[in-house]
Structure formats: C-alpha cells, structure tokens
Amino acid sequence: MKFSCDKCGLCCRHVGDFPYMKDYDRGDGTCKHLTDENLCEIYENRPPICNTEMLYERFFSRFMTRDEYDQFNIESCERIKSSQNNRCDNAKHIN
C-alpha cells in the first residue's frame, strides 16, 4: 500500500514538537510555509523531512522496504489524526 498524503495539514501544524524543525515554526507550532489552503509554499524545495520520497531514498531505504516505509507513514498519519480527533472530542466534553 503506497502512502498518499491527503493534505490535511496536521503534520505541518506540529513542527513545533520537533527541535530540528524549529526554523520552520511560525511561533505556534505550525510551519510558517503552510498556507490557509493546507498547501506548502515551498513544496518544490521543502526539506527532506517533509518529502517522503526523498526521505525514503536518502535514509530509510537502508533499513526497510518501501512497503514497510509506506505502512509506517500511513500509521504515523493515522496516529496524528487520532490524537487530533481525541483533542477535539475532549474539548467538546469540556464545553
């Protein structure tokens, strides 16, 4: 199964969670290059960490198959979405 980004923007809203992404944080944990349409202003020149194809070729291809890497990305994306949904659900219960 190939990983396919659905452009939800959630990973781009958590760059503040990673010290190596601090230069991209606009101050609230969101990437300063994320547009209101959940698109990347520097997509063609984005860093390798934001480019799943490049990241696999440069690093992960030595440690896992492409299928394993895609599955890892799918599961990571689902965890971010699940975490975000839980925060939204918890906020609904507070109100």
Side-chain angles (χ1 to χ4, degrees):
M1 176 179 283
K2 184 163 173 45
F3 174 73
S4 179
C5 177
D6 64 7
K7 299 177 180 68
C8 72
L10 287 176
C11 58
C12 302
R13 287 184 173 80
H14 291 276
V15 298
D17 296 344
F18 305 98
Y20 54 86
M21 295 295 290
K22 67 180 175 151
D23 292 340
Y24 294 92
D25 189 343
R26 68 179 186 196
D28 63 355
T30 299
C31 180
K32 63 185 177 182
H33 299 290
L34 183 67
T35 69
D36 292 339
E37 294 81 27
N38 284 338
L39 300 175
C40 179
E41 290 179 325
I42 61 167
Y43 185 80
E44 294 302 321
N45 298 304
R46 66 197 185 278
I49 192 72
C50 300
N51 185 329
T52 59
E53 300 293 324
M54 185 185 302
L55 194 59
Y56 177 74
E57 294 302 324
R58 288 190 179 177
F59 181 73
F60 285 99
S61 63
R62 293 179 274 164
F63 305 105
M64 57 179 59
T65 67
R66 183 60 198 227
D67 286 342
E68 291 169 330
Y69 176 73
D70 286 339
Q71 187 60 39
F72 172 78
N73 279 294
I74 290 166
E75 291 170 3
S76 296
C77 183
E78 289 172 355
R79 277 194 301 277
I80 291 170
K81 288 178 180 179
S82 175
S83 172
Q84 190 66 28
N85 286 339
N86 287 338
R87 286 185 203 149
C88 291
D89 289 344
N90 289 337
K92 289 176 190 172
H93 293 298
I94 293 171
N95 292 332

